[in-house]
Structures are given as structure tokens and as C-alpha cells.
Amino acid sequence: MTAAVECRKVSKAYGFAPALREIDLVVERGTRLALLGDNGAGKSTLLKVLATLLRPDSGQCRVLGEEVAQGAQKVRGRLGYLGHDSMLDRVQTMRENLAMFARLYGVADAAGVVASLIEKTGAAAFADNAVGELSRGQEQAAALARALVHGPDLLLLDEPANALDPSARERLEALLQEQSRQGASIIFSSHDHDWAKSMATRVVVMAGGRIVEA
């Protein structure tokens, strides 16, 4: 079985500022990998490369068996990405957003999947409010549900616990563990090292665009 992620000498710069420097990383399927490091370490850039949102300047990167430079469309249908932007329509409600994404992904029993995710994220009280009216933590929960709506094989989560209260964080933990049991691979970043280590089966530390500990 191919690995979930295989990166070889992957580099990426923003102008003259290097963000990733010859990253070598192999993540086996079923792994829950925590990316740790200070701001500017390269965590978010690496997640965007894996999500096919950024093309590396050099090196090779395969995600779910597909080379990201050529197979981006195939990869996107099989991964869920949560970044700093929720990627939700702020005029629509959470429920309407999830239904829209479910249709785009061709999800069977979309209504049932949406209802289940609203329950699992504890969003029943605000699922029918416009996203633009939600608190930061509520929008984060809605964005997590959006990333899960199509049952992805790979989850890429940039600071998923950000702005979540303790009960919402517990629901996040339960969802990640459920996804892992169902066979999904998960790569997530966090500034909370203790929490990340408790959730991860493997930890990678980044600094200055490099992997310094794996």
C-alpha cells in the first residue's frame, strides 16, 4: 500500500523568502501526525502544498499516490483541508454550506451526513444561523464539519483546536479519533504541544522551513 504522503526534497519560497527547505517526509496511511514548531516554521505552507493549494518550487510530493503537480484534481476529492480561512459562504447558514459542499462532492445521503456532522460538532444551536453571525469558535466547528462532509481519506488541519472551548475541543478529539478508526490519515498543526502529542501517533518538529525532528 502506498503511503498517504511522500515528499522528497520539497522546497517553496515566497519571493526571496524560503518557507520550505528540502523537506523529506513520508507519512504512512492511518497515521495521526502532529506538526509542531514556532510561527514561520513552515507548517502552514507544508499543509497547503499537501492540499494542492500551493505548488512546490522544487522536489516531488505525492499525496494518496498522486503527484500533486499532475493529479491535483484527483487528490482534492479525497482530502479534507482546514486552514485559517473557513472557506464557508458567510451569507449562508452552516447547514446550507454543508449541504452545498455535500452536493459538490456527490455525497450519498447528503442530508443524513449533514445532520450527523451538526450533531457531532455540537452545532445544533447555531447550524441555522448565517456563518457571518457565528463566533470564531462556532465558525471553526462549522469549517471542521465542511472538511469532513465527504469522508476524506486524508485530513489536513491547520490549528484545528484554535478558538475552541473545552467542550468543543473534546468533540474535536472524538471526531479525529473516529476518523482515524475509519482509516483516515490525519496531519495537523498545533501550538499546544501537550494536546498535539496526546492526539498524535507521530510528531514532527519544524523550524526555519526544515524538519528538525521526526
Side-chain angles (χ1 to χ4, degrees), residues 82 140 158-165 169 172 189-190 192 195:
L82 173 63
Q140 184 80 341
D158 200 352
E159 296 286 343
N162 188 37
L164 299 185
D165 62 28
R169 185 174 286 208
L172 168 65
S189 68
S190 179
D192 187 335
W195 178 79

Side-chain angles (χ1 to χ4, degrees), residues 1-6 25-33 62-67 74-75 78-79 151-155 179-187 201-202:
M1 182 182 292
T2 58
V5 167
E6 298 176 86
L25 179 65
V26 177
V27 181
E28 298 300 332
R29 297 201 183 207
T31 301
R32 293 195 304 271
L33 175 71
R62 294 178 68 83
V63 175
L64 299 173
E66 299 286 345
E67 175 63 46
K74 292 181 181 178
V75 171
R78 298 177 59 198
L79 62 80
D153 296 316
L154 174 64
L155 272 173
Q179 294 297 307
S180 187
R181 286 193 299 271
Q182 293 175 355
S185 309
I186 303 170
I187 303 176
T201 58
R202 180 184 170 195

